[in-house]
Amino acid sequence: MRAVSRLCVVSSPEAAGARVRPTARLLVTDPLGRVLLFKFVHRGGALDGVSYWATPGGGVEPGESVAQAARRELREETGIEVDNVGAPVAERRQIFKVDSGEHVCDEESYFHVQLAQATLVSRAGWTDYERNCMTAYRWWSALDLAQTVETIWPQDLSRLLARVVDQKG
């Protein structure tokens, strides 16, 4: 059984009134150990001009387990379908601001999906919001992550990936 890492707990003055949002995030890796990330570029709203790279994933819908949400988000955001995402490999809570300016507390569960090969991403299941702000995707190596000056979420992705790979090996 894999240990679940509690990555971090972020607290801030905004945390007291933040809406809690359970989410499923995916660490999608290829045989070379590269991880799939999406580039988000916000246009308008409270996050106008903010950009960053993040893992696939999103909110848990009513009546859905976190693992079911992970499978759905993987299919919707990438076109990749898997039968099972396993158990979460990490969990964290993060307070952040959304486009509307509201502060949200994401309760994130991370799942690792190892693919047989890097694949093209399908945008067919993307929402209008995703089409507007998800501007690119890329397979990142550990070296890419270590050398980038761009913002990556989660911030300790390199450490998390190294731990997940060590547990698999």
Side-chain angles (χ1 to χ4, degrees), residues 5-153:
S5 171
R6 306 235 185 264
L7 295 178
C8 65
V9 176
V10 178
S11 61
S12 68
E14 297 85 10
R19 173 174 54 92
V20 175
R21 179 179 167 236
T23 62
R25 310 287 325 164
L26 293 130
L27 304 171
V28 181
T29 57
D30 71 4
L32 299 176
R34 298 178 304 173
V35 64
L36 177 64
L37 298 178
F38 288 107
K39 182 163 191 169
F40 289 77
V41 178
H42 294 273
R43 299 176 185 107
L47 299 179
D48 188 36
V50 173
S51 69
Y52 53 87
W53 290 85
T55 60
V60 177
E61 294 181 355
E64 190 176 50
S65 72
V66 179
Q68 289 169 330
R71 289 182 59 228
R72 176 185 49 76
E73 288 289 341
L74 182 64
R75 183 183 65 253
E76 289 174 358
E77 292 187 358
T78 69
I80 299 168
E81 296 200 39
V82 296
D83 292 330
N84 187 356
V85 293
V89 296
E91 295 175 341
R92 91 176 173 166
R93 291 172 56 103
Q94 170 180 287
I95 306 293
F96 68 100
K97 188 186 297 188
V98 295
D99 286 335
S100 68
E102 174 190 19
H103 284 88
V104 174
C105 176
D106 265 5
E107 292 183 338
E108 300 174 331
S109 295
Y110 283 82
F111 295 85
H112 180 228
V113 175
Q114 171 72 53
L115 300 179
Q117 64 185 25
T119 185
L120 297 176
V121 167
S122 169
R123 295 173 42 131
W126 287 14
T127 64
D128 289 340
Y129 174 80
E130 290 164 339
R131 280 188 204 90
N132 184 49
C133 72
M134 291 168 57
T135 61
Y137 75 91
R138 177 178 161 194
W139 292 92
W140 291 70
S141 70
L143 183 60
D144 295 333
L145 291 170
Q147 292 180 341
T148 189
V149 295
E150 298 202 53
T151 302
I152 306 286
W153 291 106

